[in-house]
Amino acid sequence: MKYEHKRQLTRDKIEGALIKVAKNKGIADVTVSDIIKTANINRSTFYRHYIDKPDLIDSIEDRVISDIKEANVELKSTELEYINTAAGKFVYKFLTVIEENQPILELLLSEKGDIRFTLKLIAFFNQMVDSTTEVFTDTMDEKKRKLFAAYNSSTAMGVVTFWVHHFDEYDKDYVYDFLMHRQY
């Protein structure tokens, strides 16, 4: 238990170093040497946790997507009569994941970030929206459902990207209220 806590602290330190260096250089130009120097760790410590820089980046990206998937589990199993309540819970959990990962998302979803992550996140959102909206899109043909999923995925991606870059101006409750009540 104590060992795993120490491992997590080291992973957090490595991730923080990646973010710090990449904000200036961009993810593509960050080296393992940059990361270990900024994190003030040994090279062997880095390699004890990650195979290489792409492994570190994939690990971070996969964790974020996994956290969003976890938030979506309850929504997928909800009966139609409770969908509004479940959707509200999902949106709040989803925004919490974004809030907890804001520093890395701000980087990944920027010009200095990783376009592969943006594409991976869009594909994930498409799949998630398509699988969770089958209940109330059952009257749509497959082409319309895919377009519906793409539309909603793009909206989610746009809101996430906007929020992580304007994080100091909008708190989670404000974004939640906007998304759930859309009173323009």
Side-chain angles (χ1 to χ4, degrees), residues 65 68-69 72 75-76 90 94 117-134 137 142-158 160:
I65 289 175
I68 296 169
K69 278 182 187 175
N72 188 43
L75 183 59
K76 285 182 80 168
F90 163 71
F94 170 74
F117 177 68
T118 301
L119 298 173
K120 192 187 303 185
L121 198 55
I122 289 170
F124 167 69
F125 282 158
N126 265 325
Q127 183 273 328
M128 183 179 72
V129 170
D130 190 44
S131 71
T132 57
T133 58
E134 286 176 344
T137 61
E142 188 172 338
K143 280 177 74 173
K144 281 185 183 173
R145 236 182 59 235
K146 285 184 179 185
L147 194 55
F148 178 80
Y151 172 80
N152 284 287
S153 300
S154 299
T155 301
M157 197 65 200
V160 168

Side-chain angles (χ1 to χ4, degrees), residues 30-46:
V30 174
T31 64
V32 171
S33 294
D34 294 330
I35 295 168
I36 64 174
K37 181 179 178 186
T38 304
N40 196 26
I41 59 171
N42 296 324
R43 185 170 292 276
S44 62
T45 301
F46 177 89

Side-chain angles (χ1 to χ4, degrees), residues 22-63:
K23 281 186 177 183
N24 295 320
K25 294 179 86 170
I27 281 188
D29 294 331
V30 174
T31 64
V32 171
S33 294
D34 294 330
I35 295 168
I36 64 174
K37 181 179 178 186
T38 304
N40 196 26
I41 59 171
N42 296 324
R43 185 170 292 276
S44 62
T45 301
F46 177 89
Y47 288 113
R48 203 176 356 236
H49 295 275
Y50 303 101
I51 297 168
D52 52 17
K53 183 184 86 173
D55 182 45
L56 165 61
I57 294 167
D58 285 344
S59 174
I60 292 167
E61 294 172 352
D62 291 347
R63 186 194 72 234

Side-chain angles (χ1 to χ4, degrees), residues 3 15 19 22 34 47 56-57 66 90 92 94 107 110 115 117 126 149 151 157 163 168 173 181:
Y3 179 71
E15 183 177 317
I19 294 168
D34 294 330
Y47 288 113
L56 165 61
I57 294 167
S66 176
F90 163 71
Y92 200 80
F94 170 74
L107 173 63
S110 75
I115 189 65
F117 177 68
N126 265 325
Y151 172 80
M157 197 65 200
W163 187 33
D168 294 336
D173 292 327
H181 302 110

